[in-house]
Amino acid sequence: MHSSVQVNEPKTPAFVYIIASLSALGGFLFGYDTGVISGALLFIKGAFNLVTFEQEVAVAILLLFAAFAAPFAGKLADAIGRRRTILIAAALFIIGALFMTGAPGFGLFVAGRAVVGLAIGISSFTVPLYISELSPPTIRGLCVSLNQLMVTVGIVVAYIVDLSFAEILSGWRWMLGLSIIPAAILFIAMWFLPETPRWLAKNNHLEQARAIFKKIGNSDKDFDGLVVALEENLRVEKGGLRELFSHRLRRPLMIGMLLAFFQQVTGINTIIYYSPIIFQQVGLDSAVAALWATSSVGVINVLSTLLALWLLDRIGRRPLLIWGISSMIIGLLALGIDWLAPAGEERAIVAIASLMVYIFGFAIGLGPIAWLFIAEIYPLKVRGIAMSCATMVNWGFNFLIALTFLTLIELMGASWTFWLYGLLSLFSLIFVIFWIPETKGKTLEEIERLW
Ligand code: BGC
């Protein structure tokens, strides 16, 4: 596995960054819509007189529909193109938000959450896929992970919006309705942004593909090289499900699905969805203090993701994953030990510190890299469908962890629950060390030849 950076890489045009930043609004909506519900739920509960089960439905229906949407969206992205698929997701984000914000009763509210779930299931992998096919290999890590950065920003903005509208009558309608603005911008932007040259070339629109490939900083000669590499790869690939489950692609398929699995079962969303509860239990008795602590965890998530963006194309994916997961293990171990101490200020401080160490590790490693990896490791012919399999695993386990966390704490206590996530993190570390190849600096066509 030799590392090969394109030699004739010209200066990256601003257009590439514009494409990546605008389409990453899909990531913002992913973060916003998954983060906003924790605060909004407090008010929706009162507005619709919800019992506990109905509250769980309000939260979890989105995750379930995201998992359902993923496999269909993969076929869609391969059939009608990445750009049109993101357009559909943007439209669904708008429709879902309209339903939720205007819902006269709980039924329509849940329908809106489900529609947003479909949108997230589609956009969570189509946006990284779209960006990865449009960025030069030397900065692909940075560009694709802009999406993850926007996920983390979306989560923090959602917390802030929740706090700001908490005192306003029917403030929850604003909390949910405001997402229409970024969704509309995404829709308009995708209307004008180009399809990826790789999808176009694969579908025989060579002249269009050439024009776009040149617009993103390549020469005619580079394009001819791309076409040769694509043709060579496409000759050995048949495409479709049979190809995906063939012996040759078993390894990348497993790697993608296992990364998606480990990203979730190492417990990130217990922190994203439940940290106010965690902080209250360790001794921050006022709700405001707990919300502040939660927001600071969100901010560390954003800042550490920024650091990852800077490092991904410099030191590579593997070292970041290894350091990141090690840091998560230390954080979880410390959190479990801390829980054994009597409640009080000291315990709360250690809990906040442990969570920061954990979230830092996630944000430099599994957070961005799980999505980046599945956007770059699959051969073109099966890229959409393969990514959607990994995405389905991701949302499926997101759903499962969200649903079981509080029950696990009741059954085996908080310390053992966090140690369980720690053990799963240890397994993920072993998996990374022995299974994950380095993809830094390689073109997508070169990565295809690894398998
Ligand atoms: C994960 C989400 C998580 C978020 C937190 C994403 O990469 O897929 O489940 O909530 O990171 O930053």
Side-chain angles (χ1 to χ4, degrees), residues 30 148 151-152 155 263-264 268-269 272 301 362 367 371 394 398:
F30 165 171
Q148 173 68 14
V151 172
T152 62
I155 292 172
Q263 195 207 41
Q264 293 301 322
I268 180 62
N269 286 312
I272 301 293
N301 194 12
F362 176 83
W371 291 111
N394 191 290
N398 189 330

Side-chain angles (χ1 to χ4, degrees), residues 45 48-57 106:
K45 188 170 73 177
F48 297 132
N49 286 324
L50 303 184
V51 297
T52 309
F53 175 69
E54 287 168 322
Q55 292 176 46
E56 282 167 355
V57 169
F106 186 57

